[in-house]
Amino acid sequence: MTENTQQQPASNPELPTQYAPAEVEGKLYERWVERGYFTADPKSEKPAYTIVIPPPNVTGSLHLGHAFQHTLMDALTRRKRMQGFESLWLPGMDHAGIATQNKVEQQLAEEGKSRHDLGREDFVERVWQWKEEYGGKILGQMRRLGDGVDWSRERFTMDEGLSKAVQTIFKKLYDDELIYRAERIINWCPRCLTAISDIEVEYQEDDGELVSMKYGEGDDTIVVATTRAETMLGDTAVAVHPDDERYAHLVGKRIKLPLTDRTIPVVADTHVDPEFGTGAVKVTPAHDPNDFAIGQRHNLESMTVMDERGVITVHGPFQGLDRFEARSAIVGALRSQGRIVAEKRPYVHAVGHCSRCKTTIEPRLSLQWYVKVGPLAQAAGDAVRDGRTKIHPEDMSKRYFDWVDNMHDWCISRQLWWGHRIPVWYGPNGEIVCVGPDDEAPTGEGWHQDTDVLDTWFSSGLWPFSTLGWPEQTPDLKKFYATDVLLTGHDIIFFWVARMMMFGLYAMDGEVPFTTIALTGLVRDERGKKMSKSFGNVVDPLDWMDAYGSDAVRFTLARGANPGTDVPIGEDWVQASRNFANKIWNATRFALMNGATVEGPLPGPDEMSATDRWILSRLYKTVAEVDAYYEDYQFAKLSDALYHFAWDEVFDWYVELSKTTFMGGGEPARVSARVLGEVLDVTLRLLHPVVPFVTETLWTTLTGGESVVIADWPKDSGFRDDAAEREIELVQRVVTEVRRFRSDQGLQPGQKVPARLTLDGTALAPHEGAIRQLLRLQPEGEAFHATATLPVAGAEVALDLSGAIDVAAERKRLAKDLAAAEKEKAQATAKLGNEAFLAKAPDNVVDKIRGRLAKAEEDIERIGTQLASLPTA
């Protein structure tokens, strides 16, 4: 047994008759925070356990995805705190560059203004004002959920310390020639007016058009096809494969580009697939990444024909048209010249959209800043390959490697005003100076800072170490880095996980930012459908917390959390979790009313009944099981194990079996009261990380301890009693079988029936009182007449049903059921005996019929037994 180290319970502890989450959750949470339970001490000699929160956007509010991941992170850190670790769960928010700037620009638009009316400095000040007034709504909602974060260490990606970290690492990367500036094709959002990275582009199947058109004249005619006819104004070549004999006579020649006064060359390039389409492609280096590469190889001119808003800037008739208006106008003009060879509408193809505003992305040639990711990505891949960081579940590693092993250089500049401004100054004579946080920026006439800001993921990529004080060598950094677990959705492996791995290894001299990456799935509705406003199935977790309590929401989410697998959730499941919380409450209340206690040592096994030894054996097996599941991040399995142990074994069996003991009083009742106290104490501590509020109230009432938050995590005492487990399993068999029989006979659960129990010589003999109570069986009495006899578990239970049921009516009902079962058996037997049917029927149909036959035979046997047990007269 484990030594009981809890404080003594309050005298005559009492609980309200019902659990009311709304009345206790907020008060409990504030008490935890005020007492500093979540504040980590870097001077502590305890081993550290660290998780940094995936920083929610400052514009965000709590959604089910947040609630899901926060529940799991909270469970991990609460358990580690109870295990004696200096447990730090560090909170904070991301400045969310594009999203936040859009919010404030929308606010300005309502006032009839734009950011340009304010100017950069005043606009940024306006964003800070918005952040103070509206940002961080989610932080208060995290308190509602019960997040045990260390609020004293709350960070923001644009606070002074994190801004210093950003400037420091930019300077370091720049000096190491891992940051450079270059003109390349980037993904451009004409709505957000900024470059965005590859991983911020969402591809979807759109209805477009595929237009085939003739370039050149006479024998020099060549046909090309495109879905973006408007870009032909910027074509600077047509490319064909070097081995394509159809076009060999054209390679090196110049042909007329329709609608313009230009001629363009025909070039040979192995990138062209001669089997696709006509085998000839138009080349627009300024508006397509593949064309840009061809242009680089053949020294072609790059002509930009659209501005930042996707408006045509060249060639009179189309100048000033939006790109989509220009597309139709250009196709119409080509058609009028007889140059359209074919048109396919609709032509369904994958089109990139901005992940934030859903605008169609425009590839655009632009001068931007890049991170050279080659050596950084190599290090990030090696750290997982050599086991310094483990990905869980392991089969998710492939997605990680697919990304880091094939990563393109990262475009980090954004054409925004809100964010970390790129710390580079340009001089009047072409000088470029990168400025670190301790450097003086150059001054004087002609010097100016780069106007772009850094990609939001640049600063959040530093999160595991910048939040702990880097670049300073702080006590926090020394104590809590590397962090232990990154728990996040598998959907941001590319956005965030890989970035943190690259920067963490680079900045921290090869030390990984986290030793485990635990990837979760996404929350879906009860039918497994993605939650979306357009589907009308989005749920506000706060509504469910208001209705059922935070514990119910947390437990529902944890029970669905299989590693890497999406989590379906519905309101019915939250209601069921609320019922579980109520069950815990009512069972503990019953236990307290019957003297359950944690006072004094546990009695020895020889002082306990088999029922007591059974529940303790099951308790410590559950402790071991839950521990194993935690170490494997199997939240669904550990929650399920706790649910079934608490509800089925403790509340439905042990509490019920103990009622006769408590009614009998004396030493057996005292022993069982102590055992029940132990079981509840350990069970509440096991449940606490997932359902913190109800367990806090019950545990402190039961034990008198200060708080379960700082209580010891239960340890497996090693106590096992297989003999007691087998004995109670026999009791359960008897009770279950007789209950089933009673139900089949149409008896009400509370209806009392005279019975004779023949238990002598079996392990069931000591449990006759409990069996009778559980089954509502009265003593047999003088007029007892056994109308049904049930042999079960080596014993015999004889029942007198003569006054309990209408025998004639029951015989008639059972005879009807028996006839139906025999008919089903005959039909299934006939089909399975038909060789022609078996030769043609699919395997699944045959299997289904075999299942029907087996079920019919089982029903016939069961109903026959019931009929035989009924009185004959």
Side-chain angles (χ1 to χ4, degrees), residues 29 32 38 49 51 53-54 66-82 87-89 142-151 487 550-551 554 630 635 687-693 709 713:
Y29 188 83
W32 293 335
F38 307 139
Y49 183 82
I51 294 180
I53 204 167
H66 289 130
F68 170 54
Q69 292 180 0
H70 288 205
T71 293
L72 306 188
M73 285 184 277
D74 196 30
L76 290 173
T77 50
R78 283 178 182 270
R79 173 175 174 261
K80 285 295 183 180
R81 188 177 293 112
M82 295 171 75
S87 190
L88 169 62
W89 185 19
M142 286 163 56
R143 292 173 177 261
R144 281 287 314 276
L145 187 65
D147 284 7
V149 296
D150 184 346
W151 292 110
L487 191 144
S550 298
D551 283 334
R554 290 170 61 113
Y630 261 116
F635 296 97
L687 283 164
H688 173 72
V690 181
V691 283
F693 294 107
V709 177
W713 179 253

Side-chain angles (χ1 to χ4, degrees), residues 643-714:
Y643 175 89
H644 287 295
F645 173 72
W647 192 307
D648 299 345
E649 298 187 276
V650 179
F651 307 148
D652 277 359
W653 283 107
Y654 181 70
V655 167
E656 292 300 319
L657 287 169
S658 299
K659 282 182 178 178
T660 53
T661 305
F662 289 134
M663 286 189 292
E667 184 62 14
R670 187 194 68 78
V671 170
S672 289
R674 179 63 189 89
V675 170
L676 181 53
E678 176 80 0
V679 170
L680 286 175
D681 170 24
V682 173
T683 302
L684 292 170
R685 284 186 279 148
L686 287 174
L687 283 164
H688 173 72
V690 181
V691 283
F693 294 107
V694 68
T695 51
E696 171 78 340
T697 304
L698 296 176
W699 186 87
T700 53
T701 304
L702 171 71
T703 69
E706 180 183 339
S707 172
V708 71
V709 177
I710 54 172
D712 293 337
W713 179 253

Side-chain angles (χ1 to χ4, degrees), residues 2 26 59 65 111 115 164 180 199 210 283 304 307 315 325 406 495 519 592 600 624 645 669 709 712 731 778 818 834:
T2 55
T59 58
E111 301 170 13
R115 60 175 161 137
K164 181 178 181 180
Y180 63 93
I199 53 179
L210 180 66
V283 182
T304 300
D307 69 10
H315 201 70
E325 295 172 335
N406 300 286
F495 287 93
L519 296 171
L592 291 170
F645 173 72
V709 177
D712 293 337
V731 175
Q778 294 177 314
L818 181 61
N834 185 334

Side-chain angles (χ1 to χ4, degrees), residues 29 73 191 265 300 307 382 404 479 499 614 635 662 669 754:
Y29 188 83
M73 285 184 277
R191 161 63 183 78
L300 300 175
D307 69 10
D382 290 346
V404 298
K479 177 72 174 178
R499 311 285 195 222
W614 161 73
F635 296 97
F662 289 134

Side-chain angles (χ1 to χ4, degrees), residues 59-60 98-108 130 191:
T59 58
I98 294 177
T100 308
Q101 179 156 321
N102 282 347
K103 285 277 188 185
V104 179
E105 288 198 79
Q106 289 166 12
Q107 196 178 63
L108 287 173
W130 181 93
R191 161 63 183 78

Side-chain angles (χ1 to χ4, degrees), residues 261-386:
D261 56 3
R262 293 190 293 118
T263 62
I264 57 176
V266 178
V267 299
D269 196 281
T270 55
H271 171 75
V272 180
D273 180 0
E275 303 298 323
F276 183 76
T278 64
V281 296
K282 60 191 284 299
V283 182
T284 322
H287 293 278
D288 183 274
N290 293 321
D291 293 2
F292 178 77
I294 293 174
Q296 293 284 293
R297 288 193 289 272
H298 297 277
N299 199 28
L300 300 175
E301 181 185 3
S302 293
M303 288 186 60
T304 300
V305 298
M306 278 180 247
D307 69 10
E308 60 183 10
R309 297 182 185 276
V311 174
I312 302 298
T313 58
V314 298
H315 201 70
F318 311 108
Q319 190 169 1
L321 293 180
D322 171 81
R323 54 187 168 154
F324 300 118
E325 295 172 335
R327 181 177 298 174
S328 297
I330 287 170
V331 171
L334 289 168
R335 190 184 298 113
S336 68
Q337 292 184 7
R339 289 188 174 275
I340 299 297
V341 175
E343 297 179 73
K344 184 176 181 180
R345 295 191 188 90
Y347 179 72
V348 179
H349 61 134
V351 177
H353 295 260
C354 174
S355 62
R356 289 179 176 82
C357 71
K358 311 308 176 187
T359 301
T360 300
I361 289 300
E362 192 63 45
R364 188 167 190 257
L365 185 64
S366 183
L367 185 63
Q368 303 283 345
W369 286 95
Y370 292 86
V371 171
K372 186 185 295 183
V373 300
L376 303 174
Q378 175 71 43
D382 290 346
V384 174
R385 286 189 173 93
D386 64 26

